[in-house]
Amino acid sequence: MIDKSWASAAEAVADIPDGASLAVGGFGLSGNPMALIEALHARGTRDLSIVSNNCGVDDWGLGILLGAGRIRKMTSSYVGENKEFERQFLSGELELELTPQGTLAEKLRAGGAGIAAFYTQTGVGTQVAEGGLPRRYDGAGGVAVASPAKEVRRFAPAGIEHDYVLEEAIVTDYALVHALRGDRHGNLVFNKAARNFNPLAAQAGRICIAQVEELVEPGELDPDAVHLPGIYVHRVVEVGTGIEKRIERRTVRDTTKEGA
C-alpha cells in the first residue's frame, strides 16, 4: 500500500525551497489551504512564484505570505480584494501576470494533462494577445516589464473562421490544495465551492500537497464520488474539521423589515 499521509503541514512543506513555483487552490477565501500556507509562512520560505486565482486578503489566504514579502510573482485572474497587493504591484515590488479566469483554469488543467499549449478565443483583440499589459512597474509610474505579444492563428471549426490566441500550459514545482476528505492513497473529495481551482492546481504541480479535513482509509471513499484521483497527489495532511473558514465578503439583508 502507498501511504501518502504526513504527520503535519510543517513536515509536508519543509522541502519547498526559496524561489519555488506553486499552484495554490482556492477562489476568494473558499477552499484556501490555510494550514499549508501558514506552515510555509512559519518556515520563512521566500521569493515564491505563485499561480492562484487571487491572492487572498490582507490577513488571510495567500495575503499572509504577500504581507511578509515572500511572493515575487503572482499569476492570477482577480486581485481586487487586497490593498497590500495593490501597493506592492504599483511600487514595483511584485510582478503580476494577469490572466483571464477561464484561460488560467485551462492552463493549469493542460499542464496536468501534458498538453504544452492550446488556442483560445479569449483575449483576441486585446492586450492579452497583443501584449503591453504591465507585469511590473518601476515604482515611479512607468512600466518596467510588459507582457509580450502572443501568437494568433485563424481556425474554422464548424466552418466558421475565428482568430485564436496561443496560451501555454502551466506546470509548477509544487501545488497546495484543500479538500474535504481524502484517503491515504491521495484520492480527494472537495466540498461544494471549494471544488474551484483546487483540482486544477493539484494537477499542475509536480509535487501536490493536500490538506484534508478528514483522512480515511483506502476503500472508504466511494470511487464514484472521488473528484481527484490519487495519481495527482503526493502528500496528504489531515487538518481536522474545526479549522477556521472565512467569508471574503459577507452580504446580508435585514429580514426584520420585510413584510412591514
Side-chain angles (χ1 to χ4, degrees), residues 29 78 80-81 247-251:
L29 299 185
Y78 177 67
E81 298 293 338
I247 297 175
E248 185 173 6
R249 189 184 292 270
R250 186 184 296 274
T251 303

mmCIF file with all atom_site columns, all heavy atoms in Angstrom, residues 29 78 80-81 247-251:
data_model
loop_
_atom_site.group_PDB
_atom_site.id
_atom_site.type_symbol
_atom_site.label_atom_id
_atom_site.label_alt_id
_atom_site.label_comp_id
_atom_site.label_asym_id
_atom_site.label_entity_id
_atom_site.label_seq_id
_atom_site.pdbx_PDB_ins_code
_atom_site.Cartn_x
_atom_site.Cartn_y
_atom_site.Cartn_z
_atom_site.occupancy
_atom_site.B_iso_or_equiv
_atom_site.pdbx_formal_charge
_atom_site.auth_seq_id
_atom_site.auth_comp_id
_atom_site.auth_asym_id
_atom_site.auth_atom_id
_atom_site.pdbx_PDB_model_num
ATOM 1  N N   . LEU A 1 29  ? -11.826 33.338 -0.633  1.00 0.00 ? 29  LEU A N   1
ATOM 2  C CA  . LEU A 1 29  ? -11.349 32.660 0.568   1.00 0.00 ? 29  LEU A CA  1
ATOM 3  C C   . LEU A 1 29  ? -11.932 31.257 0.695   1.00 0.00 ? 29  LEU A C   1
ATOM 4  O O   . LEU A 1 29  ? -11.767 30.603 1.724   1.00 0.00 ? 29  LEU A O   1
ATOM 5  C CB  . LEU A 1 29  ? -11.707 33.487 1.815   1.00 0.00 ? 29  LEU A CB  1
ATOM 6  C CG  . LEU A 1 29  ? -11.094 34.890 1.876   1.00 0.00 ? 29  LEU A CG  1
ATOM 7  C CD1 . LEU A 1 29  ? -11.416 35.553 3.203   1.00 0.00 ? 29  LEU A CD1 1
ATOM 8  C CD2 . LEU A 1 29  ? -9.585  34.850 1.643   1.00 0.00 ? 29  LEU A CD2 1
ATOM 9  N N   . TYR A 1 78  ? -7.806  37.550 -10.659 1.00 0.00 ? 78  TYR A N   1
ATOM 10 C CA  . TYR A 1 78  ? -8.516  38.585 -9.911  1.00 0.00 ? 78  TYR A CA  1
ATOM 11 C C   . TYR A 1 78  ? -7.672  38.980 -8.703  1.00 0.00 ? 78  TYR A C   1
ATOM 12 O O   . TYR A 1 78  ? -7.259  38.133 -7.923  1.00 0.00 ? 78  TYR A O   1
ATOM 13 C CB  . TYR A 1 78  ? -9.883  38.085 -9.442  1.00 0.00 ? 78  TYR A CB  1
ATOM 14 C CG  . TYR A 1 78  ? -10.622 39.105 -8.606  1.00 0.00 ? 78  TYR A CG  1
ATOM 15 C CD1 . TYR A 1 78  ? -11.073 40.291 -9.171  1.00 0.00 ? 78  TYR A CD1 1
ATOM 16 C CD2 . TYR A 1 78  ? -10.852 38.875 -7.255  1.00 0.00 ? 78  TYR A CD2 1
ATOM 17 C CE1 . TYR A 1 78  ? -11.731 41.236 -8.413  1.00 0.00 ? 78  TYR A CE1 1
ATOM 18 C CE2 . TYR A 1 78  ? -11.520 39.824 -6.484  1.00 0.00 ? 78  TYR A CE2 1
ATOM 19 C CZ  . TYR A 1 78  ? -11.958 40.999 -7.066  1.00 0.00 ? 78  TYR A CZ  1
ATOM 20 O OH  . TYR A 1 78  ? -12.600 41.937 -6.317  1.00 0.00 ? 78  TYR A OH  1
ATOM 21 N N   . GLY A 1 80  ? -8.451  42.094 -6.765  1.00 0.00 ? 80  GLY A N   1
ATOM 22 C CA  . GLY A 1 80  ? -9.063  43.335 -6.299  1.00 0.00 ? 80  GLY A CA  1
ATOM 23 C C   . GLY A 1 80  ? -9.407  43.441 -4.833  1.00 0.00 ? 80  GLY A C   1
ATOM 24 O O   . GLY A 1 80  ? -9.966  44.455 -4.407  1.00 0.00 ? 80  GLY A O   1
ATOM 25 N N   . GLU A 1 81  ? -9.128  42.435 -4.011  1.00 0.00 ? 81  GLU A N   1
ATOM 26 C CA  . GLU A 1 81  ? -9.543  42.480 -2.613  1.00 0.00 ? 81  GLU A CA  1
ATOM 27 C C   . GLU A 1 81  ? -8.374  42.672 -1.646  1.00 0.00 ? 81  GLU A C   1
ATOM 28 O O   . GLU A 1 81  ? -8.546  42.514 -0.452  1.00 0.00 ? 81  GLU A O   1
ATOM 29 C CB  . GLU A 1 81  ? -10.283 41.181 -2.257  1.00 0.00 ? 81  GLU A CB  1
ATOM 30 C CG  . GLU A 1 81  ? -11.563 40.945 -3.041  1.00 0.00 ? 81  GLU A CG  1
ATOM 31 C CD  . GLU A 1 81  ? -12.665 41.951 -2.708  1.00 0.00 ? 81  GLU A CD  1
ATOM 32 O OE1 . GLU A 1 81  ? -12.603 42.544 -1.607  1.00 0.00 ? 81  GLU A OE1 1
ATOM 33 O OE2 . GLU A 1 81  ? -13.558 42.142 -3.545  1.00 0.00 ? 81  GLU A OE2 1
ATOM 34 N N   . ILE A 1 247 ? -15.311 34.081 5.223   1.00 0.00 ? 247 ILE A N   1
ATOM 35 C CA  . ILE A 1 247 ? -16.058 34.534 4.055   1.00 0.00 ? 247 ILE A CA  1
ATOM 36 C C   . ILE A 1 247 ? -15.458 35.857 3.610   1.00 0.00 ? 247 ILE A C   1
ATOM 37 O O   . ILE A 1 247 ? -15.282 36.778 4.414   1.00 0.00 ? 247 ILE A O   1
ATOM 38 C CB  . ILE A 1 247 ? -17.554 34.697 4.384   1.00 0.00 ? 247 ILE A CB  1
ATOM 39 C CG1 . ILE A 1 247 ? -18.160 33.337 4.762   1.00 0.00 ? 247 ILE A CG1 1
ATOM 40 C CG2 . ILE A 1 247 ? -18.302 35.315 3.207   1.00 0.00 ? 247 ILE A CG2 1
ATOM 41 C CD1 . ILE A 1 247 ? -19.593 33.402 5.210   1.00 0.00 ? 247 ILE A CD1 1
ATOM 42 N N   . GLU A 1 248 ? -15.108 35.945 2.356   1.00 0.00 ? 248 GLU A N   1
ATOM 43 C CA  . GLU A 1 248 ? -14.404 37.115 1.849   1.00 0.00 ? 248 GLU A CA  1
ATOM 44 C C   . GLU A 1 248 ? -15.238 38.379 1.970   1.00 0.00 ? 248 GLU A C   1
ATOM 45 O O   . GLU A 1 248 ? -14.773 39.412 2.424   1.00 0.00 ? 248 GLU A O   1
ATOM 46 C CB  . GLU A 1 248 ? -14.015 36.875 0.391   1.00 0.00 ? 248 GLU A CB  1
ATOM 47 C CG  . GLU A 1 248 ? -13.168 37.967 -0.203  1.00 0.00 ? 248 GLU A CG  1
ATOM 48 C CD  . GLU A 1 248 ? -12.671 37.603 -1.593  1.00 0.00 ? 248 GLU A CD  1
ATOM 49 O OE1 . GLU A 1 248 ? -13.079 36.554 -2.122  1.00 0.00 ? 248 GLU A OE1 1
ATOM 50 O OE2 . GLU A 1 248 ? -11.870 38.359 -2.141  1.00 0.00 ? 248 GLU A OE2 1
ATOM 51 N N   . ARG A 1 249 ? -16.477 38.310 1.552   1.00 0.00 ? 249 ARG A N   1
ATOM 52 C CA  . ARG A 1 249 ? -17.342 39.492 1.591   1.00 0.00 ? 249 ARG A CA  1
ATOM 53 C C   . ARG A 1 249 ? -18.747 39.038 1.987   1.00 0.00 ? 249 ARG A C   1
ATOM 54 O O   . ARG A 1 249 ? -19.507 38.532 1.154   1.00 0.00 ? 249 ARG A O   1
ATOM 55 C CB  . ARG A 1 249 ? -17.354 40.199 0.236   1.00 0.00 ? 249 ARG A CB  1
ATOM 56 C CG  . ARG A 1 249 ? -18.052 41.544 0.243   1.00 0.00 ? 249 ARG A CG  1
ATOM 57 C CD  . ARG A 1 249 ? -18.082 42.113 -1.162  1.00 0.00 ? 249 ARG A CD  1
ATOM 58 N NE  . ARG A 1 249 ? -16.764 42.474 -1.641  1.00 0.00 ? 249 ARG A NE  1
ATOM 59 C CZ  . ARG A 1 249 ? -16.229 43.677 -1.468  1.00 0.00 ? 249 ARG A CZ  1
ATOM 60 N NH1 . ARG A 1 249 ? -16.905 44.610 -0.836  1.00 0.00 ? 249 ARG A NH1 1
ATOM 61 N NH2 . ARG A 1 249 ? -15.019 43.935 -1.940  1.00 0.00 ? 249 ARG A NH2 1
ATOM 62 N N   . ARG A 1 250 ? -19.077 39.195 3.246   1.00 0.00 ? 250 ARG A N   1
ATOM 63 C CA  . ARG A 1 250 ? -20.373 38.747 3.743   1.00 0.00 ? 250 ARG A CA  1
ATOM 64 C C   . ARG A 1 250 ? -21.452 39.779 3.395   1.00 0.00 ? 250 ARG A C   1
ATOM 65 O O   . ARG A 1 250 ? -21.310 40.965 3.690   1.00 0.00 ? 250 ARG A O   1
ATOM 66 C CB  . ARG A 1 250 ? -20.332 38.539 5.256   1.00 0.00 ? 250 ARG A CB  1
ATOM 67 C CG  . ARG A 1 250 ? -21.607 37.927 5.824   1.00 0.00 ? 250 ARG A CG  1
ATOM 68 C CD  . ARG A 1 250 ? -21.523 37.849 7.336   1.00 0.00 ? 250 ARG A CD  1
ATOM 69 N NE  . ARG A 1 250 ? -20.466 36.956 7.770   1.00 0.00 ? 250 ARG A NE  1
ATOM 70 C CZ  . ARG A 1 250 ? -20.621 35.637 7.924   1.00 0.00 ? 250 ARG A CZ  1
ATOM 71 N NH1 . ARG A 1 250 ? -21.798 35.078 7.666   1.00 0.00 ? 250 ARG A NH1 1
ATOM 72 N NH2 . ARG A 1 250 ? -19.620 34.888 8.336   1.00 0.00 ? 250 ARG A NH2 1
ATOM 73 N N   . THR A 1 251 ? -22.518 39.307 2.760   1.00 0.00 ? 251 THR A N   1
ATOM 74 C CA  . THR A 1 251 ? -23.635 40.174 2.395   1.00 0.00 ? 251 THR A CA  1
ATOM 75 C C   . THR A 1 251 ? -24.910 39.612 3.011   1.00 0.00 ? 251 THR A C   1
ATOM 76 O O   . THR A 1 251 ? -25.247 38.450 2.792   1.00 0.00 ? 251 THR A O   1
ATOM 77 C CB  . THR A 1 251 ? -23.795 40.254 0.868   1.00 0.00 ? 251 THR A CB  1
ATOM 78 O OG1 . THR A 1 251 ? -22.563 40.716 0.295   1.00 0.00 ? 251 THR A OG1 1
ATOM 79 C CG2 . THR A 1 251 ? -24.903 41.216 0.490   1.00 0.00 ? 251 THR A CG2 1
#
